[in-house]
Amino acid sequence: MLRILAPTDFSTDGYNATLVAMQLARALTAEVVFVHAMAKPPVPAASPESLFRSVYSEEMRKTQVRLLDEAQHLLDILDLRHAEVRYKTLVVPTPFADAMLQVIASENIDLVVMGSRGSSQLKQILIGSNTLELMRLSPVPLLVIPSYDVFDGFDNITILLEQMKLPERAGIEMLDSIAQTYNAMLHFLILTKDGQQVQDVSELQDQHSSWQHVLTRPHTTNLLADSEAPTGMRAHMAATNSSLVVLMPEKLSIWEILFSKNLSEELAVRAHMPLLILPHKV
C-alpha cells in the first residue's frame, strides 16, 4: 500500500494540503501519516528535570489529541469513513526536517504533501521555510499545494524538461500512478535552445528508462524556446488546462537558484497550481 506523509503545523496554510492528502489517499488506496514536529516546551532552563518531563508529557498528549481531532475533522469534511482512508498520527519531538526524514525512512513513505501560502513573492513562501527545507532533503517526491487551490484531481499534467533528456528520478512510479488514477493527459514541455527539435518525447529516453511505462499513456510533446519563457509557459498552461506541474531540478544544492528563475516563479506563483517535485534517486 502506498503511504503519504502529511506534515501539519495546524496552520491555515497547511490545512488545504492535508485535505488534498486525504483525497489522494482515497483515490490511490493509500494510507496517510499525519505528522507534527513538536518543539521543546517553554520551560525555564533552571527548572528541575521532573518539571520538564511533566510539561513535555502534557504537551505531547495535547498535541496528539489535536492531531487526531484534525484527522477526524478532515474525514468529516470529505464525508469519509475511517475504513475508506487509513491513517495514523505521529508527534515527533525533533526539528522539522529531522522529524520528516525520520518518518520518511521509518514509515516507508512514498509521497510527501505540503502546503505553501501562494504569496506573490516566491522567496517569501519558500526560502527558509519548512517546504523549501524538505525540497532540498526529501528522498521521495514532494507535492506542494497552494493554500487556495481547489483540488479536483489531475486531468492534465505538464512535465517540464529543462534539458533535452528524460532524467532518471525518484517518484516516476508515483507520477505514473497519479496519471493512471485520474486518467490524465500528460503534456511534456521541453525548453529548447538553438533551434533544437524533437518529434516525440519518447526519443529522449534511454533503452532501460524508467519512463517507458509513463510514455505508454496519452501524451503530447511541446517545445518552448528559452527566449519565449515565461510568456510561452502561460500560453501552454491555458491551452492544456494543466492542473499539475512536474519539476525535476538538476541539482538539489541549487534550489535557491532554480526558484529564483522567472520561469519557476511563473509556475509556482502566477500559475496558481500544485507542483510535484521529483528528486534525484538516492
Side-chain angles (χ1 to χ4, degrees), residues 254-279:
I254 60 168
W255 277 107
E256 295 92 336
I257 298 174
L258 173 73
F259 278 90
S260 67
K261 291 181 180 178
N262 288 336
L263 178 58
S264 295
E265 288 201 12
E266 283 294 320
L267 289 172
V269 181
R270 298 184 181 92
H272 302 297
M273 67 181 61
L275 300 177
L276 179 62
I277 314 297
L278 300 186

PDB file of all heavy atoms in Angstrom, residues 254-279:
ATOM      1  N   ILE A 254      20.993  23.528  -5.657  1.00  0.00           N
ATOM      2  CA  ILE A 254      20.739  24.835  -6.270  1.00  0.00           C
ATOM      3  C   ILE A 254      19.251  25.180  -6.263  1.00  0.00           C
ATOM      4  O   ILE A 254      18.742  25.829  -7.160  1.00  0.00           O
ATOM      5  CB  ILE A 254      21.282  24.898  -7.709  1.00  0.00           C
ATOM      6  CG1 ILE A 254      20.610  23.824  -8.586  1.00  0.00           C
ATOM      7  CG2 ILE A 254      22.779  24.768  -7.733  1.00  0.00           C
ATOM      8  CD1 ILE A 254      20.878  24.022 -10.069  1.00  0.00           C
ATOM      9  N   TRP A 255      18.548  24.738  -5.210  1.00  0.00           N
ATOM     10  CA  TRP A 255      17.118  25.056  -5.138  1.00  0.00           C
ATOM     11  C   TRP A 255      16.881  26.562  -5.172  1.00  0.00           C
ATOM     12  O   TRP A 255      15.966  27.047  -5.821  1.00  0.00           O
ATOM     13  CB  TRP A 255      16.513  24.483  -3.860  1.00  0.00           C
ATOM     14  CG  TRP A 255      16.140  23.048  -4.004  1.00  0.00           C
ATOM     15  CD1 TRP A 255      16.779  21.976  -3.458  1.00  0.00           C
ATOM     16  CD2 TRP A 255      15.061  22.508  -4.762  1.00  0.00           C
ATOM     17  NE1 TRP A 255      16.160  20.819  -3.834  1.00  0.00           N
ATOM     18  CE2 TRP A 255      15.106  21.112  -4.626  1.00  0.00           C
ATOM     19  CE3 TRP A 255      14.058  23.068  -5.554  1.00  0.00           C
ATOM     20  CZ2 TRP A 255      14.190  20.273  -5.231  1.00  0.00           C
ATOM     21  CZ3 TRP A 255      13.143  22.230  -6.157  1.00  0.00           C
ATOM     22  CH2 TRP A 255      13.216  20.852  -5.994  1.00  0.00           C
ATOM     23  N   GLU A 256      17.714  27.305  -4.435  1.00  0.00           N
ATOM     24  CA  GLU A 256      17.503  28.747  -4.405  1.00  0.00           C
ATOM     25  C   GLU A 256      17.669  29.345  -5.798  1.00  0.00           C
ATOM     26  O   GLU A 256      16.922  30.231  -6.206  1.00  0.00           O
ATOM     27  CB  GLU A 256      18.489  29.416  -3.439  1.00  0.00           C
ATOM     28  CG  GLU A 256      18.282  29.026  -1.990  1.00  0.00           C
ATOM     29  CD  GLU A 256      19.136  27.841  -1.584  1.00  0.00           C
ATOM     30  OE1 GLU A 256      19.517  27.049  -2.475  1.00  0.00           O
ATOM     31  OE2 GLU A 256      19.414  27.709  -0.391  1.00  0.00           O
ATOM     32  N   ILE A 257      18.661  28.822  -6.543  1.00  0.00           N
ATOM     33  CA  ILE A 257      18.883  29.324  -7.894  1.00  0.00           C
ATOM     34  C   ILE A 257      17.699  28.959  -8.785  1.00  0.00           C
ATOM     35  O   ILE A 257      17.168  29.788  -9.523  1.00  0.00           O
ATOM     36  CB  ILE A 257      20.192  28.750  -8.475  1.00  0.00           C
ATOM     37  CG1 ILE A 257      21.382  29.213  -7.626  1.00  0.00           C
ATOM     38  CG2 ILE A 257      20.368  29.174  -9.927  1.00  0.00           C
ATOM     39  CD1 ILE A 257      22.699  28.574  -8.033  1.00  0.00           C
ATOM     40  N   LEU A 258      17.268  27.706  -8.685  1.00  0.00           N
ATOM     41  CA  LEU A 258      16.144  27.255  -9.510  1.00  0.00           C
ATOM     42  C   LEU A 258      14.923  28.124  -9.274  1.00  0.00           C
ATOM     43  O   LEU A 258      14.277  28.582 -10.207  1.00  0.00           O
ATOM     44  CB  LEU A 258      15.814  25.796  -9.194  1.00  0.00           C
ATOM     45  CG  LEU A 258      14.538  25.263  -9.867  1.00  0.00           C
ATOM     46  CD1 LEU A 258      14.764  25.059 -11.351  1.00  0.00           C
ATOM     47  CD2 LEU A 258      14.079  23.981  -9.216  1.00  0.00           C
ATOM     48  N   PHE A 259      14.608  28.364  -7.998  1.00  0.00           N
ATOM     49  CA  PHE A 259      13.370  29.055  -7.689  1.00  0.00           C
ATOM     50  C   PHE A 259      13.498  30.569  -7.744  1.00  0.00           C
ATOM     51  O   PHE A 259      12.570  31.279  -7.408  1.00  0.00           O
ATOM     52  CB  PHE A 259      12.834  28.600  -6.329  1.00  0.00           C
ATOM     53  CG  PHE A 259      12.081  27.315  -6.432  1.00  0.00           C
ATOM     54  CD1 PHE A 259      12.736  26.115  -6.297  1.00  0.00           C
ATOM     55  CD2 PHE A 259      10.733  27.303  -6.721  1.00  0.00           C
ATOM     56  CE1 PHE A 259      12.051  24.921  -6.420  1.00  0.00           C
ATOM     57  CE2 PHE A 259      10.045  26.117  -6.853  1.00  0.00           C
ATOM     58  CZ  PHE A 259      10.697  24.924  -6.698  1.00  0.00           C
ATOM     59  N   SER A 260      14.650  31.066  -8.167  1.00  0.00           N
ATOM     60  CA  SER A 260      14.756  32.496  -8.419  1.00  0.00           C
ATOM     61  C   SER A 260      14.585  32.799  -9.899  1.00  0.00           C
ATOM     62  O   SER A 260      14.519  33.939 -10.303  1.00  0.00           O
ATOM     63  CB  SER A 260      16.118  33.025  -7.941  1.00  0.00           C
ATOM     64  OG  SER A 260      17.155  32.491  -8.731  1.00  0.00           O
ATOM     65  N   LYS A 261      14.509  31.748 -10.730  1.00  0.00           N
ATOM     66  CA  LYS A 261      14.318  31.954 -12.160  1.00  0.00           C
ATOM     67  C   LYS A 261      12.905  32.453 -12.434  1.00  0.00           C
ATOM     68  O   LYS A 261      11.954  32.074 -11.769  1.00  0.00           O
ATOM     69  CB  LYS A 261      14.540  30.641 -12.924  1.00  0.00           C
ATOM     70  CG  LYS A 261      15.987  30.159 -12.932  1.00  0.00           C
ATOM     71  CD  LYS A 261      16.091  28.866 -13.726  1.00  0.00           C
ATOM     72  CE  LYS A 261      17.510  28.348 -13.769  1.00  0.00           C
ATOM     73  NZ  LYS A 261      17.618  27.078 -14.501  1.00  0.00           N
ATOM     74  N   ASN A 262      12.770  33.283 -13.447  1.00  0.00           N
ATOM     75  CA  ASN A 262      11.455  33.800 -13.796  1.00  0.00           C
ATOM     76  C   ASN A 262      10.478  32.681 -14.130  1.00  0.00           C
ATOM     77  O   ASN A 262       9.316  32.722 -13.753  1.00  0.00           O
ATOM     78  CB  ASN A 262      11.564  34.756 -14.984  1.00  0.00           C
ATOM     79  CG  ASN A 262      12.220  36.059 -14.596  1.00  0.00           C
ATOM     80  OD1 ASN A 262      12.200  36.439 -13.437  1.00  0.00           O
ATOM     81  ND2 ASN A 262      12.805  36.738 -15.564  1.00  0.00           N
ATOM     82  N   LEU A 263      10.947  31.665 -14.865  1.00  0.00           N
ATOM     83  CA  LEU A 263      10.065  30.584 -15.272  1.00  0.00           C
ATOM     84  C   LEU A 263       9.510  29.849 -14.066  1.00  0.00           C
ATOM     85  O   LEU A 263       8.323  29.557 -13.986  1.00  0.00           O
ATOM     86  CB  LEU A 263      10.808  29.608 -16.181  1.00  0.00           C
ATOM     87  CG  LEU A 263       9.994  28.387 -16.630  1.00  0.00           C
ATOM     88  CD1 LEU A 263       8.739  28.824 -17.363  1.00  0.00           C
ATOM     89  CD2 LEU A 263      10.844  27.483 -17.500  1.00  0.00           C
ATOM     90  N   SER A 264      10.357  29.544 -13.109  1.00  0.00           N
ATOM     91  CA  SER A 264       9.897  28.828 -11.929  1.00  0.00           C
ATOM     92  C   SER A 264       8.925  29.668 -11.113  1.00  0.00           C
ATOM     93  O   SER A 264       7.985  29.152 -10.520  1.00  0.00           O
ATOM     94  CB  SER A 264      11.095  28.417 -11.065  1.00  0.00           C
ATOM     95  OG  SER A 264      11.892  27.492 -11.760  1.00  0.00           O
ATOM     96  N   GLU A 265       9.153  30.978 -11.068  1.00  0.00           N
ATOM     97  CA  GLU A 265       8.199  31.844 -10.379  1.00  0.00           C
ATOM     98  C   GLU A 265       6.850  31.820 -11.081  1.00  0.00           C
ATOM     99  O   GLU A 265       5.801  31.832 -10.441  1.00  0.00           O
ATOM    100  CB  GLU A 265       8.737  33.274 -10.297  1.00  0.00           C
ATOM    101  CG  GLU A 265       9.880  33.422  -9.315  1.00  0.00           C
ATOM    102  CD  GLU A 265      10.064  34.853  -8.870  1.00  0.00           C
ATOM    103  OE1 GLU A 265       9.169  35.678  -9.148  1.00  0.00           O
ATOM    104  OE2 GLU A 265      11.080  35.140  -8.238  1.00  0.00           O
ATOM    105  N   GLU A 266       6.871  31.777 -12.409  1.00  0.00           N
ATOM    106  CA  GLU A 266       5.615  31.675 -13.143  1.00  0.00           C
ATOM    107  C   GLU A 266       4.873  30.408 -12.741  1.00  0.00           C
ATOM    108  O   GLU A 266       3.669  30.418 -12.513  1.00  0.00           O
ATOM    109  CB  GLU A 266       5.888  31.641 -14.653  1.00  0.00           C
ATOM    110  CG  GLU A 266       6.226  32.974 -15.251  1.00  0.00           C
ATOM    111  CD  GLU A 266       5.059  33.937 -15.195  1.00  0.00           C
ATOM    112  OE1 GLU A 266       3.912  33.506 -15.425  1.00  0.00           O
ATOM    113  OE2 GLU A 266       5.285  35.108 -14.903  1.00  0.00           O
ATOM    114  N   LEU A 267       5.603  29.305 -12.658  1.00  0.00           N
ATOM    115  CA  LEU A 267       4.980  28.032 -12.330  1.00  0.00           C
ATOM    116  C   LEU A 267       4.427  28.025 -10.914  1.00  0.00           C
ATOM    117  O   LEU A 267       3.285  27.643 -10.679  1.00  0.00           O
ATOM    118  CB  LEU A 267       6.008  26.903 -12.477  1.00  0.00           C
ATOM    119  CG  LEU A 267       6.434  26.555 -13.896  1.00  0.00           C
ATOM    120  CD1 LEU A 267       7.586  25.573 -13.855  1.00  0.00           C
ATOM    121  CD2 LEU A 267       5.276  25.962 -14.661  1.00  0.00           C
ATOM    122  N   ALA A 268       5.238  28.419  -9.970  1.00  0.00           N
ATOM    123  CA  ALA A 268       4.874  28.254  -8.567  1.00  0.00           C
ATOM    124  C   ALA A 268       3.975  29.352  -8.030  1.00  0.00           C
ATOM    125  O   ALA A 268       3.228  29.127  -7.092  1.00  0.00           O
ATOM    126  CB  ALA A 268       6.142  28.179  -7.716  1.00  0.00           C
ATOM    127  N   VAL A 269       4.051  30.527  -8.616  1.00  0.00           N
ATOM    128  CA  VAL A 269       3.289  31.644  -8.074  1.00  0.00           C
ATOM    129  C   VAL A 269       2.151  32.051  -8.995  1.00  0.00           C
ATOM    130  O   VAL A 269       0.987  31.946  -8.657  1.00  0.00           O
ATOM    131  CB  VAL A 269       4.214  32.855  -7.810  1.00  0.00           C
ATOM    132  CG1 VAL A 269       3.416  33.999  -7.216  1.00  0.00           C
ATOM    133  CG2 VAL A 269       5.327  32.457  -6.862  1.00  0.00           C
ATOM    134  N   ARG A 270       2.481  32.484 -10.195  1.00  0.00           N
ATOM    135  CA  ARG A 270       1.451  33.040 -11.067  1.00  0.00           C
ATOM    136  C   ARG A 270       0.579  31.967 -11.703  1.00  0.00           C
ATOM    137  O   ARG A 270      -0.550  32.237 -12.088  1.00  0.00           O
ATOM    138  CB  ARG A 270       2.097  33.921 -12.134  1.00  0.00           C
ATOM    139  CG  ARG A 270       2.837  35.103 -11.532  1.00  0.00           C
ATOM    140  CD  ARG A 270       3.383  36.029 -12.601  1.00  0.00           C
ATOM    141  NE  ARG A 270       4.111  37.131 -12.005  1.00  0.00           N
ATOM    142  CZ  ARG A 270       5.405  37.126 -11.766  1.00  0.00           C
ATOM    143  NH1 ARG A 270       6.115  36.071 -12.075  1.00  0.00           N
ATOM    144  NH2 ARG A 270       5.996  38.160 -11.212  1.00  0.00           N
ATOM    145  N   ALA A 271       1.111  30.750 -11.842  1.00  0.00           N
ATOM    146  CA  ALA A 271       0.300  29.675 -12.418  1.00  0.00           C
ATOM    147  C   ALA A 271      -0.752  29.187 -11.432  1.00  0.00           C
ATOM    148  O   ALA A 271      -1.749  28.609 -11.822  1.00  0.00           O
ATOM    149  CB  ALA A 271       1.190  28.511 -12.837  1.00  0.00           C
ATOM    150  N   HIS A 272      -0.536  29.415 -10.137  1.00  0.00           N
ATOM    151  CA  HIS A 272      -1.517  29.067  -9.108  1.00  0.00           C
ATOM    152  C   HIS A 272      -1.948  27.607  -9.202  1.00  0.00           C
ATOM    153  O   HIS A 272      -3.137  27.310  -9.294  1.00  0.00           O
ATOM    154  CB  HIS A 272      -2.747  29.971  -9.201  1.00  0.00           C
ATOM    155  CG  HIS A 272      -2.435  31.423  -9.064  1.00  0.00           C
ATOM    156  ND1 HIS A 272      -1.895  31.960  -7.919  1.00  0.00           N
ATOM    157  CD2 HIS A 272      -2.569  32.447  -9.932  1.00  0.00           C
ATOM    158  CE1 HIS A 272      -1.720  33.259  -8.080  1.00  0.00           C
ATOM    159  NE2 HIS A 272      -2.108  33.578  -9.299  1.00  0.00           N
ATOM    160  N   MET A 273      -0.997  26.704  -9.179  1.00  0.00           N
ATOM    161  CA  MET A 273      -1.352  25.296  -9.257  1.00  0.00           C
ATOM    162  C   MET A 273      -0.339  24.458  -8.492  1.00  0.00           C
ATOM    163  O   MET A 273       0.762  24.921  -8.180  1.00  0.00           O
ATOM    164  CB  MET A 273      -1.431  24.835 -10.709  1.00  0.00           C
ATOM    165  CG  MET A 273      -0.120  24.827 -11.452  1.00  0.00           C
ATOM    166  SD  MET A 273      -0.347  24.301 -13.164  1.00  0.00           S
ATOM    167  CE  MET A 273      -1.447  25.575 -13.776  1.00  0.00           C
ATOM    168  N   PRO A 274      -0.697  23.222  -8.165  1.00  0.00           N
ATOM    169  CA  PRO A 274       0.221  22.347  -7.434  1.00  0.00           C
ATOM    170  C   PRO A 274       1.474  22.017  -8.238  1.00  0.00           C
ATOM    171  O   PRO A 274       1.455  21.984  -9.469  1.00  0.00           O
ATOM    172  CB  PRO A 274      -0.625  21.091  -7.192  1.00  0.00           C
ATOM    173  CG  PRO A 274      -2.041  21.552  -7.279  1.00  0.00           C
ATOM    174  CD  PRO A 274      -2.036  22.626  -8.322  1.00  0.00           C
ATOM    175  N   LEU A 275       2.556  21.757  -7.501  1.00  0.00           N
ATOM    176  CA  LEU A 275       3.823  21.332  -8.092  1.00  0.00           C
ATOM    177  C   LEU A 275       4.189  19.962  -7.538  1.00  0.00           C
ATOM    178  O   LEU A 275       4.077  19.726  -6.337  1.00  0.00           O
ATOM    179  CB  LEU A 275       4.949  22.306  -7.739  1.00  0.00           C
ATOM    180  CG  LEU A 275       4.833  23.759  -8.171  1.00  0.00           C
ATOM    181  CD1 LEU A 275       6.034  24.544  -7.651  1.00  0.00           C
ATOM    182  CD2 LEU A 275       4.735  23.870  -9.680  1.00  0.00           C
ATOM    183  N   LEU A 276       4.645  19.075  -8.410  1.00  0.00           N
ATOM    184  CA  LEU A 276       5.179  17.786  -7.981  1.00  0.00           C
ATOM    185  C   LEU A 276       6.676  17.806  -8.250  1.00  0.00           C
ATOM    186  O   LEU A 276       7.105  17.896  -9.405  1.00  0.00           O
ATOM    187  CB  LEU A 276       4.509  16.636  -8.740  1.00  0.00           C
ATOM    188  CG  LEU A 276       5.015  15.225  -8.395  1.00  0.00           C
ATOM    189  CD1 LEU A 276       4.750  14.891  -6.927  1.00  0.00           C
ATOM    190  CD2 LEU A 276       4.367  14.185  -9.306  1.00  0.00           C
ATOM    191  N   ILE A 277       7.472  17.740  -7.186  1.00  0.00           N
ATOM    192  CA  ILE A 277       8.927  17.788  -7.296  1.00  0.00           C
ATOM    193  C   ILE A 277       9.470  16.366  -7.262  1.00  0.00           C
ATOM    194  O   ILE A 277       9.259  15.638  -6.288  1.00  0.00           O
ATOM    195  CB  ILE A 277       9.551  18.587  -6.134  1.00  0.00           C
ATOM    196  CG1 ILE A 277       8.800  19.900  -5.894  1.00  0.00           C
ATOM    197  CG2 ILE A 277      11.031  18.834  -6.385  1.00  0.00           C
ATOM    198  CD1 ILE A 277       8.825  20.868  -7.028  1.00  0.00           C
ATOM    199  N   LEU A 278      10.167  15.968  -8.323  1.00  0.00           N
ATOM    200  CA  LEU A 278      10.784  14.641  -8.371  1.00  0.00           C
ATOM    201  C   LEU A 278      12.274  14.786  -8.071  1.00  0.00           C
ATOM    202  O   LEU A 278      13.013  15.368  -8.865  1.00  0.00           O
ATOM    203  CB  LEU A 278      10.588  13.997  -9.744  1.00  0.00           C
ATOM    204  CG  LEU A 278       9.142  13.778 -10.216  1.00  0.00           C
ATOM    205  CD1 LEU A 278       9.137  12.995 -11.526  1.00  0.00           C
ATOM    206  CD2 LEU A 278       8.312  13.062  -9.159  1.00  0.00           C
ATOM    207  N   PRO A 279      12.746  14.253  -6.940  1.00  0.00           N
ATOM    208  CA  PRO A 279      14.156  14.416  -6.568  1.00  0.00           C
ATOM    209  C   PRO A 279      15.051  13.414  -7.283  1.00  0.00           C
ATOM    210  O   PRO A 279      14.585  12.448  -7.894  1.00  0.00           O
ATOM    211  CB  PRO A 279      14.135  14.137  -5.061  1.00  0.00           C
ATOM    212  CG  PRO A 279      13.040  13.130  -4.901  1.00  0.00           C
ATOM    213  CD  PRO A 279      11.985  13.517  -5.914  1.00  0.00           C
TER     214      PRO A 279
END
